[in-house]
Amino acid sequence: MRKWEKEDNNYVYYWVGKNIRKYRKAKGWTQRQLAEKCSYTENFIGDLENDTFKTCSLNTLYHISKVLDIHMKSLFDDLDEEENK
């Protein structure tokens, strides 16, 4: 896995992917289950959670957050926490 830095333009995608994975797993769902609930493909969810994925729309993130029953801003939480560990 690549070491991401805050200065990297893709840093936010890394964290969003980590948070999608975290909230999905907290529900006990597989990528396939989340994909089905969102009407996306399993590959798409896998790509979002992959630390090399570099694009998605705010609409997509909003939809995923609603399916996960979390506030959309939760997908952006802890952007600085990794530095403090």
Side-chain angles (χ1 to χ4, degrees):
M1 180 163 77
R2 178 178 171 184
K3 170 77 171 137
W4 290 97
E5 309 243 345
K6 278 181 76 170
E7 295 76 28
D8 188 322
N9 290 336
N10 297 312
Y11 179 72
V12 70
Y13 296 107
Y14 165 74
W15 273 103
V16 166
K18 278 186 75 155
N19 282 322
I20 290 171
R21 181 182 305 115
K22 175 177 81 174
Y23 290 110
R24 172 182 61 77
K25 287 186 171 190
K27 292 210 171 272
W29 295 347
T30 64
Q31 287 180 345
R32 175 175 285 169
Q33 289 171 311
L34 177 58
E36 288 172 356
K37 292 173 188 304
C38 291
S39 298
Y40 297 141
T41 66
E42 184 177 356
N43 285 341
F44 180 72
I45 297 298
D47 286 345
L48 285 174
E49 291 183 0
N50 184 324
D51 71 351
T52 60
F53 195 71
K54 295 181 180 72
T55 188
C56 63
S57 71
L58 290 175
N59 186 54
T60 296
L61 296 180
Y62 180 74
H63 182 65
I64 290 171
S65 71
K66 290 300 173 193
V67 170
L68 290 170
D69 195 29
I70 60 171
H71 292 283
M72 184 176 165
K73 69 179 185 162
S74 298
L75 296 177
F76 298 91
D77 282 351
D78 304 322
L79 287 173
D80 294 318
E81 186 172 303
E82 187 72 15
E83 291 178 8
N84 298 324
K85 288 185 178 179

